[in-house]
C-alpha cells in the first residue's frame, strides 16, 4: 500500500486517495481486479492500483484498509493500514 499512509486521518466527506501495487514472480505486475480493497466498516471499497473515495463512513477503520493481491493461480496476500475518518 502506498497510500493512505499508516495511521492516516481524514475528515468526513473529504476524498481519500488509495494507491497500491503488487508483483508476482509468475505474473509480474498485478493490477485491476487482482487488487481488492476493503475496510472494516464499508466492506469492499474499490479495485485496482488507484482510486479515490469521499463517501467512506465515519469511524475507525482500524487495521483494515486492506488491499488483497491475488495472482493468476489464486494465491493471495493482504497488506493492512490503520485509517481513522
Amino acid at each position: 500500500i502506498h497510500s493512505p499512509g499508516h495511521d492516516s486521518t481524514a475528515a468526513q466527506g473529504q476524498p481519500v486517495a488509495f494507491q497500491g501495487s503488487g508483483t508476482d514472480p509468475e505474473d509480474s505486475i498485478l493490477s485491476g481486479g487482482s487488487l481488492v480493497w476493503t475496510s472494516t466498516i464499508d466492506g469492499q471499497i474499490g479495485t485496482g492500483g488507484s482510486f479515490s473515495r469521499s463517501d467512506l463512513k465515519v469511524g475507525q477503520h482500524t487495521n483494515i484498509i486492506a488491499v488483497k493481491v491475488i495472482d493468476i493461480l489464486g494465491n493471495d496476500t493482504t497488506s493492512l493500514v490503520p485509517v481513522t475518518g
Side-chain angles (χ1 to χ4, degrees):
I1 296 176
H2 304 291
S3 68
H6 189 72
D7 290 328
S8 295
T9 301
Q12 183 179 10
Q14 294 300 308
V16 176
F18 296 86
Q19 183 179 13
S21 61
T23 58
D24 180 72
E26 295 85 23
D27 302 328
S28 192
I29 296 173
L30 301 170
S31 61
S34 296
L35 304 174
V36 179
W37 299 74
T38 58
S39 88
T40 52
I41 296 175
D42 291 307
Q44 184 173 322
I45 57 173
T47 59
S50 65
F51 64 95
S52 181
R53 293 283 299 257
S54 59
D55 62 343
L56 297 174
K57 293 179 183 148
V58 174
Q60 190 168 5
H61 300 255
T62 306
N63 291 329
I64 304 256
I65 287 289
V67 60
K68 183 175 185 177
V69 181
I70 307 165
D71 73 8
I72 197 165
L73 300 175
N75 300 315
D76 64 70
T77 188
T78 302
S79 293
L80 310 172
V81 61
V83 175
T84 301

